[in-house]
Amino acid sequence: MYITASSSPSSSLLRAASAYSPTLFFRSSFRNLTSTNQASLSVINHHRRSLTSTAVRSFHCSVPRWSPRLDWRSPLNLRSEIRAFNPIIEQLQRKFATMAAEHPFKAVLTSLPKPGGGEFGKFYSLPALNDPRIDKLPYSIRILLESAIRNCDNFQVKKEDVEKIIDWENTAPRQVEIPFKPARVLLQDFTGVPAVVDLACMRDAMHKLGSDTSKINPLVPVDLVIDHSVQVDVTRSENAVQANMELEFQRNKERFSFLKWGSSAFRNMLVVPPGSGIVHQVNLEYLGRLVFNTDGILYPDSVVGTDSHTTMIDGLGVAGWGVGGIEAEAAMLGQPMSMVLPGVVGFQLSGKLRNGVTATDLVLTVTQMLRKHGVVGKFVEFYGDGMGELSLADRATIANMSPEYGATMGFFPVDHVTLQYLKLTGRSDETVAMIESYLRANNMFVDYDEPQQERVYSSYLELNLAEVEPCISGPKRPHDRVPLREMKADWNSCLNNKVGFKGFAVPKEAQGKVAKFSFHGQPAELKHGSVVIAAITSCTNTSNPSVMLGAGLVAKKACELGLQVKPWIKTSLAPGSGVVTKYLLQSGLQEYLNKQGFHIVGYGCTTCIGNSGDLDESVASAISENDIIAAAVLSGNRNFEGRVHALTRANYLASPPLVVAYALAGTVDINFDKEPIGTGKDGKSVYFKDIWPSTEEVAEAVQSSVLPNMFKSTYEAITKGNPMWNQLSVPSSTMYSWDPHSTYIHEPPYFKNMTMEPPGAHGVKDAYCLLNFGDSITTDHISPAGSIHKDSPAAKFLLNRGVERKDFNSYGSRRGNDEVMARGTFANIRLVNKLLNGEVGPKTIHVPTGEKLYVFDAAMRYKDAGHDTIVLAGAEYGSGSSRDWAAKGPMLLGVKAVIAKSFERIHRSNLVGMGIIPLCFKSGEDADTLGLTGHERYTIDLPRKIDEIRPGQDVTVTTDNGKSFTCTVRFDTEVELAYFNNGGILPYVIRNLMKQ
């Protein structure tokens, strides 16, 4: 079932009061004091009652100074004490009410009438500002503007911030800083567990420092979907869903119990149980509000999530993007996010997709275009006549892959297509009417039937949809697009090329190698390029009925022609929600997918995040013993080396129907235009064109099979949970009882010995280089989510704690235990560290002794000796998933700074959040051009006083062998400097909350 606190207006106010912040009180009062109707007066009086309650709690904390003999358990004594404090409380109320009445933008608070009489609520009206600059703003920037106006208190959000956003055309190029308060926060369990661990640990810290632990409560709605723990252990079976879920609960019972505890211990937190679907599809189909109505105030939905693909919701017209877990925790606790006002790339779409071309082909094309254009740190906003040709699901597919093309958001403003989708997915007519009325009234709705006001963008791109052709991406990066017609030639080039993103360096004489083996008594063989994993998986595609039904049509045509997927290929289908199952059954196509081995294996993220499960032992042995470059084809969004499966060195992203087609072919070494996929039951060759459905066939299947009641019944059911979840028993305490023997949940050391005084800024002196990297080191390299290697430091730790190998689970599932995750940092088996001179693996050189050690062991040796360490890196350091452990882990290893050519946006922010200094080499320079080998010792000359450091300033780095070079400090905002001064974002938040 859903676990959630009451969400009524009164309970919302009580929640705010229980973790009282003057700013939050003012903001709520601003909303209501601008109206004189009876409802507003009622809310004001409720505010007063809430404040009284808050004041009592505040005085309670200080009672020993005032009344040492007072028994607070006595109601009579309590009432008399309150009476004594009443004059003080009334004075505070008058002061707060006066300040509340002075909301800087109270004049634009406007009523939104209902068509039949009455009002939907009130809203802060952008048109009422009468500023012509607003009419030219991109729609995505208007959402930032509305948030700044609504939250303006001249403390956390100032009038100057509002002006910066209104003047976006001039201010954005100057990289100005603005605060942003999202409407809600989204978590999945891999990142949600450490977030809840941190919140529980912060409560402990508040308790130890003598402050109010109830201040550690989410002040905005938090939705946590458990979707990252299911693995593809059982496949090709009607019972696969149940079997995999049972294994999921066996492995993760402790984690799940912890999350269920958190859902009741923390207010405003909703937990969606395992087996419900993929977080981003659930967000799209169910959780996305589009417009909030809180205490009679209407405002746009916006969300930050601890998964980089939170951007999928941008396809629905909700502004959302991924942030680090620690940044999300601060947002939960009412802290504004500090961000650089982004540039916006206008992406004009025209025309329509050709027959047989899928949304996946489109998104891979868009990804390649935007990577080439350069959109890191920017918003991308789509517009143009082609928008009407894209379904909402197609838009969501494009928005989903924003991290792969590097943008903060890929935004689709709300239009009629959005409203149709809301009705399809079961949102009520009244809700849809409210959403449309509000967005039209606030100039946030696009009506393509009306003349369009010209908007200004930072730069422009254009794509005629008719130019998109079928394609896949790989073998090691999502933006390495390969047109389908060129795939065979590209594959052969990859075999020949030197080892790299597009190369495997297989000698010519070995390229035709055939590995013969027995698969359960049946003769089998593998070659370079043989497909061993074919997975229909990932939020990117499973939310799109056209490609899912397209996959079913390919399977159906193949069955009718007599083609069959080889039994040694690990096939799987993991839908993003139960809706997919309903329409596949309704269409009759699941039967054919089953016949090809694509049985449903579970509802959640699987192969795309490395939860692909083991390959059959015979297949694994054939690959390993013959050094075969085996392939995985998946409908995912990430294919970095070592992510999907340790034994698949070639990994290709493809649409679901193409996944089925490649599974049938059994190899990626094929030209679909010229070579047959197989031989039919009539003995004739079957070609790609014989099994590929037309656009009309797919549209007909969607029209007849995807029905509104499917969405309603699915999401009514998940609110009831499932028997395994419902049977979990958890304690009712609000403070977590840490089990020192647990290998899943462990109290982290972040706040040990913390004091109210910030530690201050610091440089780095005589640090050793722990690792020396090249370009494109991903968060998968830094903090892998997949399986725990049997010889790794984490494996040794678990074995010493009595955990058997079969119960290791994955790194992702153990993110609630810092002792495991520190040992898992830089533990990727495909890690390329220049200190090892070409050797690949999770080891490094301990510079003082020259010994080759696991990275964790070397780091501990440096720490024990009192030495700091740094990391050298190339371009795009930290790209990939938004993993806070990719920053937490290095911090626990003693890394004080990372010097790179460039950083991925979220990862740089995470490093700052954990107190690690991010530095960028100057343009044209890197470790190689400067002659740095990593065997030097490094000193970073950073001022000791925080007010002497400026965002983006230059600093000098010197080495013990006489080299000196200049770097740019990547603290990008004043707020980030405050985080650094406090030793990280979480200590900063605790100190701030204690002062309130």
Side-chain angles (χ1 to χ4, degrees):
M1 64 177 181
Y2 274 106
I3 309 295
T4 180
S6 168
S7 56
S8 67
S10 60
S11 65
S12 298
L13 291 169
L14 287 169
R15 282 195 296 272
S18 70
Y20 171 65
S21 156
T23 304
L24 288 165
F25 176 80
F26 298 159
R27 190 178 74 219
S28 299
S29 301
F30 294 154
R31 295 173 180 167
N32 296 289
L33 285 168
T34 48
S35 170
T36 58
N37 62 29
Q38 189 61 40
S40 294
L41 290 172
S42 165
V43 174
I44 292 169
N45 288 332
H46 191 102
H47 269 305
R48 286 177 175 164
R49 289 194 298 272
S50 299
L51 177 62
T52 303
S53 170
T54 304
V56 168
R57 276 193 298 275
S58 176
F59 293 138
H60 172 193
C61 295
S62 304
V63 158
R65 289 201 299 269
W66 297 336
S67 182
R69 291 176 300 280
L70 179 65
D71 181 2
W72 277 92
R73 291 169 295 182
S74 165
L76 291 173
N77 282 340
L78 179 59
R79 282 198 293 272
S80 64
E81 196 75 12
I82 291 173
R83 281 196 298 272
F85 296 150
N86 264 340
I88 304 171
I89 294 169
E90 289 171 4
Q91 184 180 358
L92 285 170
Q93 287 178 325
R94 285 194 295 273
K95 180 180 179 182
F96 291 157
T98 301
M99 295 183 71
E102 296 169 357
H103 189 292
F105 293 95
K106 64 180 180 180
V108 301
L109 190 65
T110 305
S111 175
L112 183 67
K114 285 184 178 180
E119 67 172 17
F120 287 113
K122 291 181 169 53
F123 69 101
Y124 287 93
S125 171
L126 303 187
L129 290 170
N130 292 319
D131 194 319
R133 293 174 296 177
I134 296 174
D135 296 332
K136 293 184 177 182
L137 289 178
Y139 285 95
S140 49
I141 298 299
R142 296 180 196 188
I143 293 175
L144 300 184
L145 175 60
E146 188 282 338
S147 175
I149 290 172
R150 175 169 39 87
N151 290 302
C152 186
D153 57 6
N154 279 326
F155 175 61
Q156 288 187 329
V157 183
K158 301 178 181 178
K159 287 186 72 173
E160 291 84 351
D161 299 315
V162 173
E163 172 58 25
K164 287 177 188 175
I165 302 172
I166 293 175
D167 199 32
W168 169 85
E169 188 176 354
N170 297 312
T171 54
R174 300 204 304 266
Q175 298 281 289
V176 300
E177 175 188 355
I178 61 164
F180 175 64
K181 287 193 167 187
R184 60 190 173 96
V185 173
L186 184 70
L187 309 172
Q188 37 89 337
D189 55 303
F190 267 20
T191 51
V193 167
V196 178
V197 165
D198 288 350
L199 290 175
C201 191
M202 290 171 80
R203 270 199 182 161
D204 287 350
M206 293 286 276
H207 178 71
K208 289 171 186 173
L209 291 169
S211 189
D212 182 3
T213 59
S214 69
K215 289 182 179 180
I216 305 298
N217 261 313
L219 299 178
V220 297
V222 177
D223 302 316
L224 192 158
V225 181
I226 302 176
D227 70 339
H228 272 51
S229 299
V230 61
Q231 296 188 37
V232 187
D233 293 297
V234 179
T235 186
R236 291 180 176 258
S237 165
E238 298 280 358
N239 190 46
V241 172
Q242 182 67 20
N244 286 324
M245 184 175 283
E246 288 174 1
L247 288 167
E248 179 185 8
F249 268 81
Q250 286 174 23
R251 293 180 180 125
N252 299 285
K253 183 178 179 181
E254 189 177 345
R255 295 172 64 244
F256 292 171
S257 296
F258 176 70
L259 290 176
K260 194 172 182 181
W261 167 82
S263 69
S264 58
F266 296 101
R267 302 188 192 106
N268 236 350
M269 182 178 289
L270 177 151
V271 175
V272 180
S276 303
I278 300 175
V279 57
H280 306 304
Q281 188 162 344
V282 175
N283 194 23
L284 190 72
E285 295 175 352
Y286 184 64
L287 297 174
R289 281 80 152 171
L290 270 89
V291 174
F292 271 84
N293 186 343
T294 303
D295 304 334
I297 298 295
L298 303 169
Y299 54 97
D301 187 3
S302 59
V303 59
V304 293
T306 56
D307 188 288
S308 52
H309 293 104
T310 300
T311 54
M312 189 170 193
I313 201 67
D314 301 338
L316 193 66
V318 174
W321 59 87
V323 296
I326 44 183
E327 201 172 1
E329 291 161 31
M332 289 180 211
L333 297 171
Q335 300 298 309
M337 292 174 50
S338 178
M339 61 185 288
V340 173
L341 185 61
V344 183
V345 177
F347 199 124
Q348 184 174 7
L349 299 172
S350 61
K352 64 183 295 185
L353 295 174
R354 289 182 286 146
N355 185 41
V357 176
T358 68
T360 315
D361 301 322
L362 172 58
V363 72
L364 295 178
T365 302
V366 167
T367 297
Q368 187 180 50
M369 289 178 66
L370 288 169
R371 290 285 296 200
K372 184 177 180 181
H373 185 75
V375 293
V376 173
K378 298 176 182 177
F379 290 175
V380 176
E381 187 166 296
F382 294 89
Y383 68 100
D385 296 338
M387 293 281 281
E389 300 296 331
L390 295 180
S391 69
L392 195 290
D394 291 346
R395 299 176 183 188
T397 298
I398 296 169
N400 177 280
M401 287 191 72
S402 294
E404 282 66 48
Y405 46 79
T408 302
M409 280 206 303
F411 188 73
F412 290 81
V414 176
D415 60 11
H416 286 106
V417 173
T418 319
L419 300 180
Q420 291 165 8
Y421 181 82
L422 293 175
K423 292 178 180 178
L424 171 68
T425 51
R427 274 79 164 192
S428 71
D429 290 342
E430 183 179 358
T431 297
V432 175
M434 181 268 289
I435 290 168
E436 182 177 6
S437 297
Y438 168 77
L439 294 175
R440 283 185 180 276
N442 223 8
N443 285 356
M444 293 180 177
F445 186 88
V446 182
D447 191 334
Y448 287 104
D449 294 331
E450 298 176 357
Q452 295 296 299
Q453 166 81 39
E454 184 176 349
R455 294 179 296 283
V456 175
Y457 293 106
S458 308
S459 60
Y460 297 80
L461 279 175
E462 185 176 354
L463 174 64
N464 184 340
L465 297 176
E467 296 173 1
V468 178
E469 60 179 318
C471 57
I472 62 177
S473 280
K476 300 180 184 181
R477 295 190 300 187
H479 53 280
D480 289 333
R481 186 180 70 92
V482 185
L484 209 57
R485 56 185 168 77
E486 298 175 10
M487 181 57 200
K488 186 178 180 73
D490 191 82
W491 171 252
N492 285 291
S493 294
C494 287
L495 291 179
N496 290 320
N497 294 343
K498 67 180 183 179
V499 174
F501 297 122
K502 294 288 288 185
F504 298 104
V506 177
K508 287 280 188 185
E509 63 274 14
Q511 290 181 11
K513 180 190 292 185
V514 178
K516 295 184 180 295
F517 64 103
S518 174
F519 179 79
H520 299 280
Q522 181 178 348
E525 65 178 40
L526 295 178
K527 302 176 182 178
H528 294 305
S530 288
V531 175
V532 295
I533 291 176
I536 299 175
T537 179
S538 167
C539 50
T540 306
N541 287 289
T542 64
S543 59
N544 194 326
S546 65
V547 291
M548 297 300 286
L549 289 165
L553 289 168
V554 170
K556 181 175 186 286
K557 289 172 181 281
C559 287
E560 291 170 346
L561 290 168
L563 296 185
Q564 189 67 44
V565 175
K566 299 288 190 298
W568 54 84
I569 297 176
K570 187 166 188 177
T571 45
S572 62
L573 166 57
S577 83
V579 176
V580 179
T581 300
K582 286 182 169 67
Y583 65 64
L584 285 174
L585 290 171
Q586 171 78 17
S587 65
L589 295 174
Q590 185 63 56
E591 172 190 351
Y592 298 101
L593 286 163
N594 288 352
K595 288 179 179 178
Q596 297 296 348
F598 289 94
H599 294 77
I600 295 175
V601 296
Y603 298 91
C605 288
T606 53
T607 305
C608 187
I609 59 164
N611 288 358
S612 49
D614 292 334
L615 291 176
D616 186 89
E617 197 172 317
S618 63
V619 176
S621 296
I623 295 170
S624 301
E625 292 168 9
N626 295 278
D627 199 22
I628 294 293
I629 310 293
V633 183
L634 62 150
S635 63
N637 46 49
R638 296 271 166 84
N639 57 342
F640 303 124
E641 191 173 12
R643 178 185 178 97
V644 173
H645 194 285
L647 294 176
T648 58
R649 281 186 272 173
N651 301 281
Y652 286 94
L653 304 182
S655 66
L658 271 179
V659 170
V660 179
Y662 273 108
L664 289 161
T667 181
V668 296
D669 186 12
I670 184 172
N671 183 329
F672 278 144
D673 288 342
K674 299 177 180 178
E675 297 177 76
I677 286 178
T679 304
K681 57 189 176 185
D682 59 1
K684 294 181 180 179
S685 294
V686 177
Y687 289 85
F688 180 78
K689 61 183 176 59
D690 299 324
I691 63 170
W692 199 253
S694 67
T695 300
E696 289 73 22
E697 287 177 284
V698 172
E700 187 177 313
V702 172
Q703 183 69 28
S704 62
S705 305
V706 184
L707 307 172
N709 66 348
M710 295 177 176
F711 294 89
K712 289 182 180 177
S713 61
T714 296
Y715 288 107
E716 284 172 359
I718 68 168
T719 62
K720 299 171 184 174
N722 58 66
M724 285 181 272
W725 174 262
N726 295 340
Q727 288 166 12
L728 292 175
S729 60
V730 297
S732 58
S733 61
T734 58
M735 302 288 286
Y736 190 69
S737 298
W738 305 97
D739 177 1
H741 303 295
S742 172
T743 56
Y744 277 104
I745 308 296
H746 183 260
E747 183 178 9
Y750 312 137
F751 311 115
K752 285 184 178 176
N753 304 318
M754 179 181 166
T755 64
M756 276 300 292
E757 189 65 28
H762 61 84
V764 178
K765 185 171 178 60
D766 291 332
Y768 284 100
C769 177
L770 182 63
L771 295 142
N772 183 3
F773 292 130
D775 293 343
S776 296
I777 292 296
T778 71
T779 51
D780 280 303
H781 291 114
I782 305 168
S783 183
S787 59
I788 298 171
H789 193 272
K790 60 183 178 65
D791 297 322
S792 66
K796 293 173 185 173
F797 172 81
L798 291 172
L799 289 169
N800 288 338
R801 292 296 186 96
V803 180
E804 297 181 30
R805 274 190 60 191
K806 66 180 179 62
D807 298 320
F808 277 2
N809 213 331
S810 63
Y811 282 114
S813 68
R814 292 189 180 273
R815 285 183 180 163
N817 188 302
D818 59 284
E819 295 181 313
V820 174
M821 295 308 296
R823 288 164 173 81
T825 303
F826 300 114
N828 191 302
I829 60 171
R830 300 292 179 194
L831 200 68
V832 178
N833 172 15
K834 294 179 183 178
L835 290 174
L836 294 179
N837 296 319
E839 183 181 337
V840 176
K843 294 188 177 182
T844 193
I845 299 298
H846 180 250
V847 174
T849 63
E851 289 181 75
K852 182 169 67 177
L853 302 171
Y854 279 105
V855 175
F856 174 79
D857 295 333
M860 292 304 100
R861 194 174 289 189
Y862 285 127
K863 283 190 78 171
D864 290 344
H867 299 309
D868 290 341
T869 55
I870 59 113
V871 171
L872 296 175
E876 300 176 339
Y877 182 77
S879 57
S881 301
S882 57
R883 292 183 188 159
D884 53 341
W885 267 112
K888 288 177 176 176
M891 184 275 288
L892 292 176
L893 295 188
V895 174
K896 299 301 182 185
V898 178
I899 310 175
K901 288 174 70 174
S902 63
F903 292 91
E904 190 275 338
R905 176 185 64 86
I906 300 174
H907 184 63
R908 184 206 61 80
S909 173
N910 279 344
L911 291 174
V912 174
M914 292 311 297
I916 295 176
I917 306 168
L919 298 162
C920 275
F921 292 108
K922 286 298 183 180
S923 179
E925 294 183 347
D926 58 23
D928 291 339
T929 62
L930 293 168
L932 304 174
T933 65
H935 290 270
E936 308 87 353
R937 298 184 73 171
Y938 294 79
T939 295
I940 300 169
D941 186 18
L942 204 60
R944 298 286 299 181
K945 293 183 178 179
I946 198 68
D947 56 6
E948 295 178 5
I949 307 174
R950 302 182 315 279
Q953 80 174 48
D954 288 346
V955 298
T956 300
V957 182
T958 57
T959 66
D960 61 340
N961 61 354
K963 294 184 183 295
S964 177
F965 54 97
T966 301
C967 287
T968 301
V969 178
R970 287 298 309 278
F971 297 130
D972 289 356
T973 66
E974 295 289 345
V975 172
E976 289 188 343
L977 286 173
Y979 296 160
F980 179 59
N981 190 55
N982 277 268
I985 189 171
L986 299 184
Y988 168 85
V989 169
I990 287 178
R991 291 186 179 103
N992 268 13
L993 289 174
M994 289 185 67
K995 292 174 184 175
Q996 289 175 1

